[in-house]
Amino acid sequence: MLENLPDEELMQQLEQRRGRGRNEYPVRAMWNSLVAGIVFQHPSIEQLRRELLRNGQLRDLCGFDPTRGSDAVPSASAYSRFLSTLRKRSIREALVRVFTSLVDQCYRELPGFGRRLGADGKGIASVARRRGKGAGDRRGEHDADWGCHEYVYQNERGEVQKSVKKWFGFTVHLLADTEYELPVAFTVSRASKHEVPVMRKLIRSLDRHRPHILKAAEVFTADRGYDDGTLIDLLWHEHRIKPVIDIRNLWKDGEETKLVAGTPNVVYDYQGTVSCVCMATGTQREMAYRGFEEKRGTLKYGCPAVHYGYECAGKASCPLASCIRIPLSTDRRVFTPLARSSYRWKREYAKRTALERIHSRLDRSFSLELHTIRGQEKLSVHLTLVFSVMSALALGRVRENQPNQMRSLVRPAA
């Protein structure tokens, strides 16, 4: 882990900041112990300190003076001051560069890294349930607010059910590679912030500061919480990234289908399924998807009678040729470069579950279910540490020819 963490610049800045002051607890040893606390899943500084007090081997690995024994373990107040230093602007920027450097190494060393991106927001409850009475109350939570997520699912009887999750805290908005299940970029906001505008802002920030990420991306996958025409336009028309985003039914007039403009008998539903209606019998059949024509900006659909071999009673009177082209501009949410009715869209969307597995590891392997962090800035610094550890571990496993263990925190390297 430590061999693959590009933290030398950060260490030099921390040492320079300390200068000629007391060096009872060396900067590098304290930093290594914080990393160890994440790797060995200690959810609080006190649990980490207890482990350091009893575990001489861990103290040696972190770089504490072995001649001092347990006296070398920093006090709780020393850790508190060290974490406050990590939140200083210049130090925090150096810490962010540790993470971005690891992401760039993933792009160089992992084949196809970044071609398939996925986005999702994860609610993180605050350890404090309400805000403190004043800004000086360090025990209270002054940055968080209430968030709400609504989930729609089918029960065992096939009935559509809704569940609502509410939490007081924050949301981490994560952009990750869905093949390797590794982070690419993230930001932290209050829980009440909607995911779509935050993700648009994150993508525009990447365009300004790290454009190679968007240039390498081919597909962007997200759940229906990111169903937004502006986001789809931003991805496709500005960056040529194919959006694979689940869609909500926003049709308010109760119609199940709409007529494709310029045709008398071709209809589509809100999920992008295109069908033709037989002119003689009124039978509705799904048309065959024939691909996306990028230069024209159209989706091509074939006559089901020709493609599937149906007997069509209205063939003689049908005004359509063997295929039809539907411009994406017909409805930018419904019609996307990867047709929603295609098999490839379904295969790509299935990769979105990678984000759920990352969230699960954040909760369980990286102890965010049991965190004791207060404040948005502190949480952002902690997540930068966590995502850096996650990426450095993965790179270390790959470099040790153990790619099948790249997401493991438990099994030791040979």
Side-chain angles (χ1 to χ4, degrees), residues 234-252:
L234 175 65
L235 290 167
W236 175 244
H237 293 286
E238 294 189 27
H239 302 293
R240 279 304 188 254
I241 301 172
K242 295 179 179 178
V244 179
I245 303 173
D246 198 7
I247 192 170
R248 296 166 292 161
N249 187 359
L250 299 182
W251 291 3
K252 302 297 185 182

Side-chain angles (χ1 to χ4, degrees), residues 25-52:
Y25 308 120
V27 162
R28 293 175 187 263
M30 292 193 70
W31 166 257
N32 290 343
S33 67
L34 283 180
V35 173
I38 295 172
V39 172
F40 296 121
Q41 305 173 37
H42 296 296
S44 69
I45 292 296
E46 280 308 304
Q47 287 196 23
L48 171 62
R49 290 187 66 252
R50 284 195 291 271
E51 180 64 19
L52 288 168

Side-chain angles (χ1 to χ4, degrees), residues 386-404:
V386 166
F387 288 133
S388 297
V389 167
M390 190 183 294
S391 300
L393 279 171
L395 285 166
R397 299 293 193 187
V398 171
R399 290 163 181 167
E400 293 290 334
N401 295 319
Q402 300 172 342
N404 59 322

Side-chain angles (χ1 to χ4, degrees), residues 80-205:
S80 180
R81 290 192 296 271
F82 187 73
L83 290 170
S84 296
T85 302
L86 289 180
R87 296 196 298 274
K88 303 295 183 182
R89 182 174 179 179
S90 60
I91 303 299
R92 189 171 70 245
E93 290 174 351
L95 178 59
V96 170
R97 285 195 291 273
V98 171
F99 170 66
T100 56
S101 174
L102 288 164
V103 173
D104 291 342
Q105 291 177 46
C106 290
Y107 272 89
R108 291 193 299 268
E109 299 184 33
L110 303 181
F113 184 87
R115 285 191 303 188
R116 288 179 169 84
L117 298 178
D120 200 8
K122 172 179 172 52
I124 299 179
S126 172
V127 65
R129 294 304 177 190
R130 60 177 64 88
R131 301 181 184 185
K133 295 180 179 180
D137 181 9
R138 297 179 63 185
R139 296 170 299 174
E141 179 59 80
H142 304 279
D143 299 334
D145 59 10
W146 284 98
C148 176
H149 275 176
E150 184 179 277
Y151 301 92
V152 180
Y153 62 95
Q154 282 188 334
N155 61 19
E156 297 177 353
R157 297 187 295 274
E159 300 170 342
V160 177
Q161 300 287 324
K162 290 184 179 180
S163 66
V164 178
K165 173 188 175 184
K166 294 183 179 180
W167 75 99
F168 179 77
F170 306 94
T171 300
V172 53
H173 306 266
L174 177 62
L175 192 66
D177 179 275
T178 58
E179 293 285 352
Y180 292 95
E181 299 181 15
L182 291 174
V184 171
F186 76 96
T187 187
V188 178
S189 72
R190 293 183 174 186
S192 61
K193 288 285 187 179
H194 196 275
E195 294 171 338
V196 170
V198 174
M199 186 53 59
R200 289 200 302 256
K201 185 177 179 180
L202 179 58
I203 290 172
R204 292 190 177 104
S205 176

Side-chain angles (χ1 to χ4, degrees), residues 282-296:
T283 304
Q284 181 174 310
R285 296 188 178 97
E286 182 178 347
M287 300 187 74
Y289 176 58
R290 301 281 294 276
F292 172 56
E293 299 174 317
E294 183 172 347
K295 291 183 179 180
R296 296 179 182 226

